[in-house]
Amino acid sequence: MPDTISSGPRQNLLGTPETRLAEDFIDVEIADRLDDGAEPSDLAREHPESPLVWGTLAQDALAEGEEITAYACARTGYHRGLDALRRAGWRGHGRIPAAHRPNRGFLLALVMLGETSRRLGDQAEVDRVQEFLAEADPTLLT
């Protein structure tokens, strides 16, 4: 008898659907504007609800060695993203695929939260973020 659990792709046995933010979620516009050279700080003033802009600000601050600022930006993006996910029907668990463009801002903020936490020595937060990423989209852990 074949082992159907381990022989194929992982199945969602609980039937929890993937969470996909709306195609017109603000982060799609933000991504396009960032690609066109817009300043993240200007976009944050215009659209503080965007997880992508906060994740981008966290990345930039980290690149400049500003770990505390990066952490604050990542945390803000993470919470803005949680708000958006909940409005989209997310119930605190399940996949949040990075292949879906509108989800990427939240996932960037989450990755940055993990990295800034690691740099600040908050291992408990690093572990929580890694668990979250493993459930949301394991491809982000490679």
Side-chain angles (χ1 to χ4, degrees):
M1 185 161 110
D3 181 0
T4 58
I5 294 175
S6 63
S7 64
R10 272 183 81 187
Q11 294 181 349
N12 182 342
L13 300 177
L14 298 177
T16 306
E18 292 181 343
T19 300
R20 294 173 177 263
L21 294 171
E23 290 293 336
D24 63 349
F25 183 60
I26 189 65
D27 278 358
V28 174
E29 175 190 337
I30 296 296
D32 290 341
R33 291 180 66 190
L34 287 168
D35 288 345
D36 290 340
E39 287 296 320
S41 58
D42 293 339
L43 293 174
R45 287 180 187 90
E46 291 176 43
H47 297 286
E49 72 279 12
S50 166
L52 177 59
V53 77
W54 292 108
T56 301
L57 286 168
Q59 252 180 340
D60 293 350
L62 207 54
E64 295 173 12
E66 298 292 332
E67 293 167 340
I68 302 300
T69 299
Y71 177 83
C73 290
R75 176 68 64 187
T76 300
Y78 167 76
H79 283 288
R80 292 298 188 138
L82 288 178
D83 292 344
L85 288 168
R86 287 182 186 115
R87 284 191 304 273
W90 184 70
R91 300 284 185 251
H93 58 86
R95 301 247 313 131
I96 306 167
H100 183 64
R101 189 175 183 219
N103 290 353
R104 292 180 190 160
F106 167 71
L107 294 168
L108 172 63
L110 181 59
V111 167
M112 294 310 302
L113 180 60
E115 178 58 20
T116 56
S117 296
R118 184 189 67 76
R119 292 189 189 196
L120 294 172
D122 186 353
Q123 190 59 47
E125 183 71 352
V126 172
D127 293 343
R128 281 189 294 274
V129 168
Q130 291 298 304
E131 288 175 20
F132 197 154
L133 285 170
E135 181 176 346
D137 191 331
T139 66
L140 298 173
L141 296 173
T142 60

